[in-house]
Amino acid sequence: MNFDENEPQSVREERFAAERAGRRAARKAASLDLRGAHVGAAIVAIALILLGWYGNLVALSIVSGVLLLCFAAALAWAYADGDHGRHALQRAYKVAFGWGDGF
């Protein structure tokens, strides 16, 4: 977002809006790589199964609640950004579990 100090504010706002719309359209058109999110979700599933298996229900509920809140916040952010339907769910899934790319 570059701007000229001498241009009017209205012109600057229109140009910024056009740039944001272009980036949003490019982001919506791009396919999401969900491999890392699948790895992250698998690790979380294994951890939750182990917590349930060993009877640590307090830790199980805390971890599950935190992950649910993280996913809900990511989904709300995707909807606020203008995504709807499947693409919003995929973006929220990637945000919530995409840390699996590091493994």
Side-chain angles (χ1 to χ4, degrees), residues 32 71 75 78-79 82-93:
L32 294 173
F71 183 79
L75 186 60
Y79 270 98
D83 277 342
H84 297 289
R86 184 177 182 183
H87 196 260
L89 288 172
Q90 287 176 339
R91 281 185 60 196
Y93 179 70

Side-chain angles (χ1 to χ4, degrees), residues 22-39:
R23 284 194 307 272
R24 181 175 290 128
R27 186 174 55 243
K28 286 182 181 180
S31 64
L32 294 173
D33 181 23
L34 297 176
R35 283 180 279 176
H38 294 324
V39 171

Side-chain angles (χ1 to χ4, degrees), residues 51-72:
L51 284 173
W53 183 269
Y54 289 111
N56 199 344
L57 298 180
V58 174
L60 175 67
S61 62
I62 290 172
V63 171
S64 299
V66 167
L67 289 169
L68 179 65
L69 285 175
C70 179
F71 183 79

